[in-house]
Amino acid sequence: MIQKKDTSKVFIIGTFFLLISIFLAVAIVYERNKKENDRVIKINLDTNVEENLNWKFSTKTNIIDAKIGQIYKIDFNVENYSSKETSGRAVYEVKPDFIKKYFVEIDCFCYKKQTLLPSEKSTYTITFYIDPKIISDLKASDIKDINISYTFLNT
């Protein structure tokens, strides 16, 4: 009878320490992931217009300190300086190249042909986030800056 009580105490104490160990391990993993998810990547936005398209293309925000996984919406201002209706389509380039798969655009003006009347001004937006999968990519672990260049081409 005494041995059964002693075995039960050892089992209870062992279970207690096992639960404490599991709790601590989960807390450590959570804190590590929390730090990674709070990681900020500086996004440098560059705007350009093809030489034969007489437009001004700019944004008020050229630099964004983007938290991984957070959604951002950026406005771009466009103005047609020509005396006729003109159209353009924007393309973009992400540097370094391998980061493009983590730059997720939810909505972008660059998917559609844009037409402006003479002297017309307009505002176009992009909505995007940095995919949290970037955290597990060892190649991206040292990335602190992403350069994104948007260029309007005459169509």
Side-chain angles (χ1 to χ4, degrees):
M1 196 72 136
I2 294 174
Q3 288 179 340
K4 191 173 186 180
K5 286 183 182 180
D6 289 341
T7 306
S8 296
K9 286 180 185 178
V10 169
F11 178 75
I12 290 171
I13 291 171
T15 303
F16 174 76
F17 283 114
L18 178 64
L19 290 174
I20 294 291
S21 299
I22 291 172
F23 174 77
L24 288 173
V26 167
I28 290 168
V29 168
Y30 172 78
E31 284 299 316
R32 187 175 300 150
N33 286 339
K34 184 178 169 193
K35 284 179 186 175
E36 284 294 323
N37 286 338
D38 287 344
R39 183 173 149 203
V40 173
I41 296 177
K42 184 169 82 172
I43 298 177
N44 302 298
L45 296 172
D46 180 39
T47 54
N48 304 287
V49 178
E50 187 176 44
E51 203 171 294
N52 62 351
L53 185 62
N54 196 11
W55 286 10
K56 180 182 178 187
F57 177 42
S58 63
T59 182
K60 291 180 184 178
T61 310
N62 287 42
I63 298 174
I64 301 162
D65 289 328
K67 281 188 174 183
I68 294 172
Q70 185 171 329
I71 296 175
Y72 293 89
K73 184 177 180 180
I74 306 298
D75 290 330
F76 291 84
N77 301 310
V78 183
E79 183 175 359
N80 181 359
Y81 282 143
S82 75
S83 59
K84 61 181 182 173
E85 180 180 287
T86 54
S87 298
R89 183 180 311 257
V91 294
Y92 71 96
E93 181 179 32
V94 178
K95 294 288 182 183
D97 292 328
F98 73 93
I99 295 295
K100 187 172 183 174
K101 64 184 172 187
Y102 300 115
F103 180 72
V104 181
E105 289 183 315
I106 298 168
D107 186 36
C108 183
F109 61 88
C110 52
Y111 299 131
K112 306 175 217 77
K113 178 180 175 179
Q114 307 296 337
T115 301
L116 295 174
L117 299 172
S119 303
E120 182 181 8
K121 296 178 184 179
S122 190
T123 301
Y124 302 135
T125 61
I126 61 168
T127 306
F128 71 92
Y129 66 94
I130 305 297
D131 192 330
K133 291 178 186 173
I134 196 171
I135 293 168
S136 60
D137 187 337
L138 296 177
K139 192 174 177 183
S141 64
D142 293 336
I143 297 296
K144 292 179 177 56
D145 297 273
I146 298 174
N147 297 308
I148 303 171
S149 181
Y150 289 90
T151 303
F152 257 107
L153 305 174
N154 193 0
T155 58

